[in-house]
Amino acid sequence: MFNLINTVKEKNPLVAHYTNNVTINDCANITLAIGASPLMSFSYEEVDDIVSAASSVVINIGTMNSEYIELFIKAGKSANKYNKPVILDPVGVFATKARMELTNRLLNEVKFDVVKGNISEIKFIGGFNVKGKGVDSFDDGSDATDIVKRVAQKLESIVVATGKVDIITDGKSTYKVNNGTQKLKGITGTGCMTASLIGSFMACTENKLQAATMGTLAMSLCGELSDKEDMSLGSFKVKLMDNIYTLDVGTLNKHAKVNFIS
Amino acid sequence: MFNLINTVKEKNPLVAHYTNNVTINDCANITLAIGASPLMSFSYEEVDDIVSAASSVVINIGTMNSEYIELFIKAGKSANKYNKPVILDPVGVFATKARMELTNRLLNEVKFDVVKGNISEIKFIGGFNVKGKGVDSFDDGSDATDIVKRVAQKLESIVVATGKVDIITDGKSTYKVNNGTQKLKGITGTGCMTASLIGSFMACTENKLQAATMGTLAMSLCGELSDKEDMSLGSFKVKLMDNIYTLDVGTLNKHAKVNFIS
Amino acid sequence: MFNLINTVKEKNPLVAHYTNNVTINDCANITLAIGASPLMSFSYEEVDDIVSAASSVVINIGTMNSEYIELFIKAGKSANKYNKPVILDPVGVFATKARMELTNRLLNEVKFDVVKGNISEIKFIGGFNVKGKGVDSFDDGSDATDIVKRVAQKLESIVVATGKVDIITDGKSTYKVNNGTQKLKGITGTGCMTASLIGSFMACTENKLQAATMGTLAMSLCGELSDKEDMSLGSFKVKLMDNIYTLDVGTLNKHAKVNFIS
């Protein structure tokens, strides 16, 4: 599975993003750093041109508003039409009614290959009671594997729930990523960037569960490797991008802590 | 007052932002770095959900356009309705008629707790002749304390005027911050980020004048500490975020140059 | 020509941007770093106020959508009306029909002083067959000087085509910049930032070909100087901004590789 890091660089897939205004620059840069090509659009007119040319599509509702609802729906449907892997990042779905309704519409009208959120977002989508502040997760650290599997079964898609342990499951098989650092919550956009990384890997293998795991692992592992004792947040973000760019099979073999539960 | 830096980290307040597209990422990151939680929105639909959950609200007109005018008004009124501290950053109010009209509407329809601008913006709002280039301040270095106090009396709110010396006043009592560096004008968004910091502190004390001072001081002091002889602008911005994250009572006691004039 | 780096810092020209949401922060920061003042706007209402006050205008279609089409047209026409230098960056013009149509309208309704793109974008505008992925260039390394000159003649404007060698021509005289590094394609926005730099220099000389060359050279040279053996992408971007800020006549004299072909 780790060899997919080379496939991304060989294939240089085009990852189309319909995303938010807060972290859009970071998403573009991390897509480049992992070896793929980003394309960001807010245009109804070019959905067909872009999605048909793309290798995968990422939809992120972080700064959704009414004028983008139909755009996101159209982009998702277009991804389905052209048979492109499509990833949903339902940022802060638990925070407002508007986000909940948009997420419901997206889940009903688009067939997503991967739904990625923090553990609060995933639990909320599964119909569980959740606590969260703003768009941030409340992670009590308890094992949520069974809950996440049930959400995956309900959605009939791969679900990625990030947290102290990242859970990636299709409802049957599950990968758990034990890498990470609290500092990843100290900068904005690490969740959004994880979706970009998943999109980058999705174009490189038929094994979508492994692709989703690799994207999640890349972020958690590079975060961990970037977090030194004396590393403050500005430098941490720079180092994170550095480590994504230099991530290779050797580093993955040496440091990745991934369990597979079939 | 310096102990408020600990209160922010304990309370982790949610700071809602209705802000511009240029510096939105920096505002989110500095809010995280000081120990609060940012939430950025451009959605009419979720104003009530967001403002009612927020600890404070920041409104920044930096890339205002006609479609956001009603959004900003709605967010400000909602902050008043839910009794949440609300901060206005009238970026470049002197630069265009559209910004002037929006600022007038905001000041008339919303009761702001803090109006923060560079000295040119504050003078303009107070009805004085000002010079400025684009959205940047013209600061001739003369003592503007009396002028800023009169603006605060007129607006019946705390006014923060940033410049060589930062002036924070409610029209009666005044704090003056003598920390800072010219390099803060060399990167975009330090003014916007100051409003985010003020928003972070506003949720942590009843003493709004001190909260506004702490937010202003955090930026000016961390800027000063980040400006070493051989520090160029890219590295300066990284270091600034580093210093905001590590700012503590000890550093404030050692380096803060604040005068209080009752 | 290299002395223009000093003129920018003396004049501190105001560079108005009508640009995309992905790289808008980087464009503002690089404009500051070179010594000019950025102003970013998305507002129809303030076009006249802004363009009349600006020293130059940059129009970048990177995240164009239907609501911004008339804004870009209006900004371009206003630049012509007030006789301000205006630069077009037709990001990804070859990627979608919507971008092609907008670019056609802009080129027909506005008289641009400079059209800047990667070599694929410039060839496409000239009516040549091009390959590109997303908004990125396919550069086969062959000498495109004649092609770019023909595009400049057709457009009756200066054309800047960035690539392994950057070509800057008014259709008669040509500058070629042989500085650069592949890493500039590894971060998003280096093309957009080049347009900001060109805008900064355009306000400082009647010799528009030299201004366009200086903006292009600043990016390619500072990129080259920032690319050390062990420099990863996050650090590279920080160093790039550092080098733009410290760029001076001495560095230009020592490292610039520019040919002039009259």
Side-chain angles (χ1 to χ4, degrees):
Chain A
M1 177 169 74
F2 293 164
N3 195 50
L4 288 172
I5 191 79
N6 293 325
T7 317
V8 173
K9 288 168 211 309
E10 287 154 21
K11 286 211 170 183
N12 183 235
L14 183 66
V15 183
H17 287 72
Y18 293 88
T19 192
N20 68 74
N21 286 326
V22 185
T23 65
I24 191 168
N25 183 269
D26 294 329
C27 288
N29 272 323
I30 209 154
T31 303
L32 285 163
I34 202 73
S37 274
L39 181 57
M40 330 311 266
S41 175
F42 297 95
S43 162
Y44 283 81
E45 301 87 343
E46 58 184 21
V47 167
D48 246 50
D49 284 351
I50 283 178
V51 173
S52 62
S55 301
S56 62
V57 178
V58 174
I59 297 175
N60 173 308
I61 68 163
T63 48
M64 56 79 61
N65 66 28
S66 54
E67 84 188 277
Y68 290 138
I69 291 173
E70 298 306 325
L71 175 66
F72 290 172
I73 300 283
K74 186 172 178 182
K77 285 185 171 175
S78 184
N80 287 167
K81 174 178 146 196
Y82 290 108
N83 206 23
K84 305 295 170 94
V86 55
I87 298 111
L88 175 64
D89 191 344
V91 181
V93 59
F94 53 75
T96 74
K97 193 156 167 283
R99 289 170 196 238
M100 189 191 72
E101 287 173 353
L102 172 56
T103 302
N104 271 341
R105 270 200 68 192
L106 282 164
L107 289 170
N108 280 315
E109 299 186 30
V110 178
K111 172 87 189 82
F112 285 96
D113 294 279
V114 179
V115 176
K116 182 220 71 70
N118 59 43
I119 185 64
S120 294
E121 288 156 356
I122 296 303
K123 282 182 180 173
F124 184 88
I125 287 179
F128 298 89
N129 273 324
V130 296
K131 290 185 202 172
K133 176 178 281 172
V135 299
D136 293 327
S137 180
F138 175 81
D139 184 359
D140 62 10
S142 63
D143 189 342
T145 309
D146 286 343
I147 291 175
V148 180
K149 282 177 80 169
R150 273 146 63 198
V151 180
Q153 288 156 10
K154 183 176 164 185
L155 299 182
E156 296 178 4
S157 93
I158 292 168
V159 169
V160 176
T162 59
K164 285 171 189 165
V165 175
D166 304 318
I167 299 163
I168 303 99
T169 182
D170 59 8
K172 286 172 286 183
S173 303
T174 302
Y175 284 94
K176 295 171 87 164
V177 174
N178 292 283
N179 297 99
T181 166
Q182 270 294 108
K183 280 225 177 83
L184 284 170
K185 290 181 69 175
I187 56 174
T188 193
T190 51
C192 309
M193 288 190 267
T194 299
S196 298
L197 293 171
I198 293 172
S200 302
F201 283 104
M202 288 298 278
C204 298
T205 172
E206 293 296 304
N207 191 326
K208 292 175 181 178
L209 191 62
Q210 289 194 352
T213 302
M214 281 298 292
T216 311
L217 171 62
M219 177 57 71
S220 290
L221 174 55
C222 290
E224 182 181 306
L225 296 174
S226 305
D227 186 15
K228 310 292 174 202
E229 195 76 38
D230 60 343
M231 185 66 87
S232 191
L233 278 184
S235 303
F236 174 74
K237 184 175 171 183
V238 174
K239 190 73 184 162
L240 176 65
M241 207 62 89
D242 280 352
N243 280 328
I244 290 285
Y245 180 63
T246 57
L247 185 65
D248 59 14
V249 173
T251 305
L252 286 160
N253 277 325
K254 189 167 176 191
H255 296 289
K257 288 178 257 177
V258 182
N259 302 124
F260 179 65
I261 305 149
S262 65
Chain B
M1 176 170 74
F2 294 165
N3 194 49
L4 287 171
I5 190 80
N6 293 324
T7 317
V8 173
K9 289 169 210 308
E10 286 154 20
K11 286 211 171 183
N12 183 236
L14 183 66
V15 183
H17 287 72
Y18 293 87
T19 191
N20 68 74
N21 288 324
V22 185
T23 64
I24 190 168
N25 183 268
D26 294 329
C27 288
N29 273 323
I30 209 153
T31 304
L32 286 163
I34 201 73
S37 274
L39 180 58
M40 329 313 265
S41 175
F42 297 95
S43 163
Y44 283 82
E45 302 87 342
E46 59 184 21
V47 167
D48 245 50
D49 284 351
I50 283 178
V51 173
S52 62
S55 302
S56 62
V57 179
V58 175
I59 297 176
N60 174 310
I61 69 163
T63 49
M64 57 77 62
N65 67 27
S66 54
E67 84 188 278
Y68 290 137
I69 292 173
E70 299 305 326
L71 175 66
F72 290 172
I73 300 283
K74 185 173 180 183
K77 286 185 171 174
S78 184
N80 286 167
K81 174 178 148 197
Y82 291 108
N83 205 22
K84 304 296 169 96
V86 55
I87 297 111
L88 175 64
D89 191 345
V91 181
V93 59
F94 53 75
T96 74
K97 192 156 169 283
R99 289 170 197 238
M100 189 191 72
E101 288 173 353
L102 172 55
T103 301
N104 270 341
R105 270 201 67 192
L106 282 163
L107 288 170
N108 280 312
E109 299 187 30
V110 178
K111 170 87 189 85
F112 285 96
D113 297 275
V114 179
V115 176
K116 181 219 72 71
N118 58 44
I119 184 65
S120 294
E121 288 155 356
I122 296 304
K123 283 183 181 172
F124 184 88
I125 288 178
F128 299 91
N129 272 324
V130 296
K131 289 185 201 174
K133 177 178 280 171
V135 297
D136 293 327
S137 181
F138 175 82
D139 184 0
D140 62 9
S142 63
D143 190 342
T145 309
D146 286 342
I147 291 175
V148 179
K149 281 177 81 168
R150 273 145 62 197
V151 180
Q153 288 156 9
K154 182 176 165 185
L155 299 183
E156 295 178 3
S157 93
I158 292 167
V159 168
V160 177
T162 59
K164 286 170 190 168
V165 175
D166 304 318
I167 298 163
I168 303 98
T169 182
D170 59 8
K172 286 171 286 184
S173 303
T174 301
Y175 284 94
K176 294 172 88 164
V177 174
N178 292 283
N179 297 98
T181 166
Q182 270 293 106
K183 282 226 174 81
L184 284 170
K185 290 182 70 175
I187 56 174
T188 193
T190 52
C192 310
M193 289 189 267
T194 299
S196 298
L197 293 171
I198 293 172
S200 302
F201 284 103
M202 288 297 279
C204 299
T205 172
E206 293 297 304
N207 191 328
K208 293 175 181 177
L209 191 62
Q210 289 195 352
T213 302
M214 281 298 290
T216 310
L217 171 62
M219 176 57 70
S220 290
L221 174 56
C222 291
E224 181 180 306
L225 297 174
S226 304
D227 186 14
K228 310 292 175 201
E229 194 76 38
D230 60 344
M231 184 66 86
S232 191
L233 278 184
S235 302
F236 173 74
K237 183 175 172 183
V238 173
K239 190 70 184 166
L240 176 64
M241 207 62 90
D242 280 352
N243 280 329
I244 290 285
Y245 180 63
T246 57
L247 185 65
D248 59 15
V249 173
T251 305
L252 286 160
N253 277 325
K254 190 167 174 189
H255 296 289
K257 288 177 259 177
V258 182
N259 302 125
F260 179 64
I261 307 149
S262 65
Chain C
M1 177 170 74
F2 294 164
N3 194 50
L4 287 171
I5 191 80
N6 293 324
T7 317
V8 174
K9 289 169 211 308
E10 286 153 22
K11 286 212 171 183
N12 182 236
L14 183 65
V15 183
H17 287 72
Y18 294 87
T19 191
N20 69 74
N21 287 324
V22 185
T23 64
I24 191 168
N25 182 270
D26 294 329
C27 288
N29 273 323
I30 209 153
T31 304
L32 286 163
I34 201 72
S37 274
L39 180 58
M40 329 311 266
S41 175
F42 297 96
S43 162
Y44 283 81
E45 301 86 345
E46 59 184 21
V47 167
D48 246 49
D49 284 351
I50 283 177
V51 173
S52 63
S55 302
S56 62
V57 179
V58 174
I59 298 176
N60 173 310
I61 69 164
T63 49
M64 57 78 61
N65 67 28
S66 52
E67 84 187 278
Y68 290 137
I69 291 174
E70 298 306 326
L71 175 66
F72 291 172
I73 300 283
K74 185 173 179 182
K77 285 185 172 176
S78 185
N80 286 168
K81 174 178 147 196
Y82 290 108
N83 206 22
K84 305 295 169 96
V86 54
I87 297 112
L88 175 64
D89 192 344
V91 181
V93 59
F94 53 76
T96 74
K97 192 155 168 284
R99 288 171 197 238
M100 189 191 73
E101 287 172 355
L102 172 55
T103 301
N104 271 340
R105 270 199 68 192
L106 282 163
L107 288 171
N108 280 314
E109 300 186 30
V110 177
K111 172 86 189 85
F112 285 96
D113 296 278
V114 180
V115 177
K116 183 219 70 71
N118 58 44
I119 185 64
S120 294
E121 288 156 356
I122 296 303
K123 283 183 180 172
F124 184 88
I125 287 178
F128 299 89
N129 271 325
V130 297
K131 289 185 201 174
K133 176 179 281 171
V135 297
D136 293 326
S137 180
F138 175 81
D139 184 0
D140 62 10
S142 64
D143 189 343
T145 309
D146 286 343
I147 290 175
V148 180
K149 282 177 81 168
R150 272 145 64 198
V151 180
Q153 288 156 9
K154 182 176 164 185
L155 299 182
E156 295 178 5
S157 93
I158 292 168
V159 169
V160 176
T162 59
K164 285 170 189 167
V165 175
D166 304 319
I167 299 162
I168 304 97
T169 183
D170 59 8
K172 287 171 285 184
S173 303
T174 301
Y175 285 94
K176 294 171 88 165
V177 174
N178 292 282
N179 297 99
T181 165
Q182 270 294 108
K183 281 226 175 83
L184 283 170
K185 290 181 69 176
I187 56 174
T188 194
T190 51
C192 309
M193 288 189 268
T194 299
S196 299
L197 293 171
I198 293 172
S200 302
F201 284 103
M202 288 298 278
C204 299
T205 173
E206 293 297 304
N207 191 328
K208 293 176 182 178
L209 191 62
Q210 289 194 353
T213 301
M214 281 298 291
T216 311
L217 171 62
M219 176 57 70
S220 290
L221 175 55
C222 290
E224 182 181 306
L225 296 174
S226 304
D227 187 15
K228 310 291 175 201
E229 195 76 39
D230 60 343
M231 185 65 87
S232 191
L233 279 183
S235 303
F236 173 74
K237 184 175 171 183
V238 174
K239 190 72 183 164
L240 176 64
M241 207 62 89
D242 280 351
N243 281 328
I244 290 285
Y245 180 64
T246 57
L247 184 66
D248 58 15
V249 173
T251 306
L252 286 160
N253 277 326
K254 189 167 175 191
H255 296 290
K257 289 177 256 175
V258 182
N259 303 125
F260 179 65
I261 306 150
S262 65

